[in-house]
Amino acid sequence: VVAVIPYFDRFLSRFPSVFDLAAAEESEVLKLWEGLGYYSRARNIHKAAKVVVEQHGGVFPADLAGLQALPGIGRYTAGAIASFAFDRRAPIVEANTLRLYSRLLGYDGDPRSTDGQQLLWAFAEAVLPKSQPGRFNQALMELGATVCSPKAPDCEQCPVSGFCRAFRDQSQATIPRLAKRAEITDVTEASV
């Protein structure tokens, strides 16, 4: 994070508002994005700024549908923005909560499958409180990152271990099921 702060500050200095970003040429946006990561993100941010200005009068949408209609914003990012920035009830499933929810539910199927995703997103929606959903989502992400870790979760310190099926069944090491790695095919090329 420390390494990118000057790049981020430079970007924000040139584009202090969504109107400034929307009015810029893509080439300038990409040039100022150097050092901040994937260029597709810069393109999507630029496109989204144009949509926000043209269709929303420069006001960033706060609802999930409006957020997901913006270029580059998917279900997780929309939920994060809605809950963190606007304190809206919006579920979040990302790596840490995927692991936490899978273990709480004792779900030993593939959490990345269609069925797994439907189950985990429905659970994420069901557990959201009516007040302070942003803080709740942030706490669950932190719990997944620090306590319900991929290897050697600290179940003894977990505040929700009493509700955790994986803890009850001692299946924390096998839940969630790891994604299958693509099989590598050795190829030998010969020129004639």
Side-chain angles (χ1 to χ4, degrees):
V1 171
V2 172
V4 300
I5 289 174
Y7 297 99
F8 183 67
D9 287 342
R10 181 186 69 192
F11 189 85
L12 287 183
S13 172
R14 170 58 188 92
F15 307 119
S17 76
V18 69
F19 297 99
D20 296 311
L21 182 56
E25 293 294 325
E26 183 181 278
S27 59
E28 183 183 12
V29 173
L30 293 175
K31 182 67 179 157
L32 284 165
W33 190 262
E34 288 177 357
L36 290 172
Y38 300 107
Y39 288 96
S40 62
R41 289 184 181 152
R43 286 185 185 93
N44 283 329
I45 288 171
H46 187 227
K47 289 176 191 172
K50 288 181 177 199
V51 172
V52 168
V53 167
E54 293 167 7
Q55 296 179 16
H56 301 283
V59 178
F60 209 76
D63 64 300
L64 287 174
L67 289 165
Q68 284 185 282
L70 296 174
I73 297 184
R75 191 174 186 182
Y76 159 70
T77 303
I81 293 169
S83 69
F84 299 154
F86 301 108
D87 208 27
R88 298 274 178 104
R89 267 188 104 252
I92 291 178
V93 177
E94 45 74 62
N96 294 313
T97 54
L98 178 143
R99 182 175 50 258
L100 176 66
Y101 298 159
S102 293
R103 287 177 176 164
L104 284 170
L105 293 168
Y107 180 66
D108 61 359
D110 180 356
R112 291 158 199 85
S113 69
T114 301
D115 289 343
Q117 285 290 294
Q118 287 176 346
L119 174 71
L120 297 178
W121 279 97
F123 182 76
E125 175 80 37
V127 298
L128 273 175
K130 287 186 184 355
S131 71
Q132 299 184 322
R135 288 186 68 173
F136 184 80
N137 277 334
Q138 195 123 29
L140 291 179
M141 291 170 68
E142 187 73 13
L143 182 63
T146 61
V147 177
C148 194
S149 56
K151 295 179 181 169
D154 192 0
C155 299
E156 300 305 321
Q157 297 301 313
C158 182
V160 295
S161 63
F163 307 102
C164 181
R165 288 189 185 153
F167 177 68
R168 183 190 69 206
D169 300 341
Q170 294 299 294
S171 57
Q172 308 93 311
T174 59
I175 295 177
R177 183 189 301 174
L178 296 177
K180 290 185 180 180
R181 294 185 183 247
E183 214 172 289
I184 298 173
T185 305
D186 288 326
V187 176
T188 304
E189 292 187 32
S191 56
V192 182

